[in-house]
Amino acid sequence: TSGSLTLDALNKQKCIVKLSSSTDKDTNEGDSTFSIPATLLLWTAGATPTSDRNTGIRNSILPRDVMGRILTSPTLNVKEHPNVYAIGDCSRPKKVPYAATAQVAMQQATVASWNVYATLTNKYIPKRNGNDRDTVELLPFNFINLGEMMTLGS
């Protein structure tokens, strides 16, 4: 299947893929917990329903609103953890949340990917001739409502 082909390709690139995992349940062999040393960690987690048991994103140390969305800055990173970015249903970059639509998440993905690139680039750009290095600016997210679509009839 295409899923197994994707998993094989990621494994060949030495990517660590955890499926159906929660931040409070990840264990290695036996019952010991583990950490993943990484320059870049990409965690995809869909919208989670409110529940009595905090699991997944709700179990993290990231600041959240009452609905469990991660509070981010306009550049989509978490103020207390500037190397952490959140987009889509699980984030809230402004006081009034954006609609939980693919349109918002797709636009946020473009900005967040640039900002991850800028964060990594700024960390690893060498200084030129002992001078301060140039930095790549983070972009703020600005949603452009492209309208809504609905189908009529069959």
Side-chain angles (χ1 to χ4, degrees), residues 62-114:
L62 302 174
R64 296 174 310 276
D65 66 7
V66 294
M67 294 302 293
R69 294 177 293 242
I70 298 172
L71 301 174
T72 66
S73 71
T75 55
L76 304 177
N77 59 341
V78 179
K79 289 180 183 177
E80 295 84 355
H81 306 278
N83 291 338
V84 174
Y85 291 84
I87 64 170
D89 301 344
C90 73
S91 72
R92 196 185 90 196
K94 62 178 193 149
K95 189 170 185 171
V96 177
Y98 293 106
T101 64
Q103 181 182 170
V104 173
M106 295 287 287
Q107 290 181 33
Q108 286 178 331
T110 303
V111 172
S113 63
W114 171 264

Side-chain angles (χ1 to χ4, degrees), residues 127-148:
K127 292 185 178 182
R128 287 189 242 162
N129 301 327
N131 296 329
D132 286 337
R133 62 186 183 187
D134 295 329
T135 58
V136 181
E137 293 294 319
L138 298 181
L139 299 175
F141 175 68
N142 292 305
F143 176 64
I144 300 170
N145 189 341
L146 301 174
E148 301 208 12

Side-chain angles (χ1 to χ4, degrees), residues 14-89:
K14 301 201 184 313
C15 293
I16 299 169
V17 179
K18 303 293 286 171
L19 302 173
S20 301
S21 297
S22 173
T23 57
D24 66 343
K25 288 187 177 181
D26 282 344
T27 59
N28 204 355
E29 296 173 2
D31 291 322
S32 60
T33 61
F34 68 96
S35 62
I36 301 173
T39 302
L40 174 64
L41 174 65
L42 178 61
W43 177 19
T44 59
T48 55
T50 303
S51 70
D52 293 335
R53 186 165 183 269
N54 286 337
T55 60
I57 200 167
R58 295 178 186 273
N59 193 41
S60 72
I61 61 170
L62 302 174
R64 296 174 310 276
D65 66 7
V66 294
M67 294 302 293
R69 294 177 293 242
I70 298 172
L71 301 174
T72 66
S73 71
T75 55
L76 304 177
N77 59 341
V78 179
K79 289 180 183 177
E80 295 84 355
H81 306 278
N83 291 338
V84 174
Y85 291 84
I87 64 170
D89 301 344

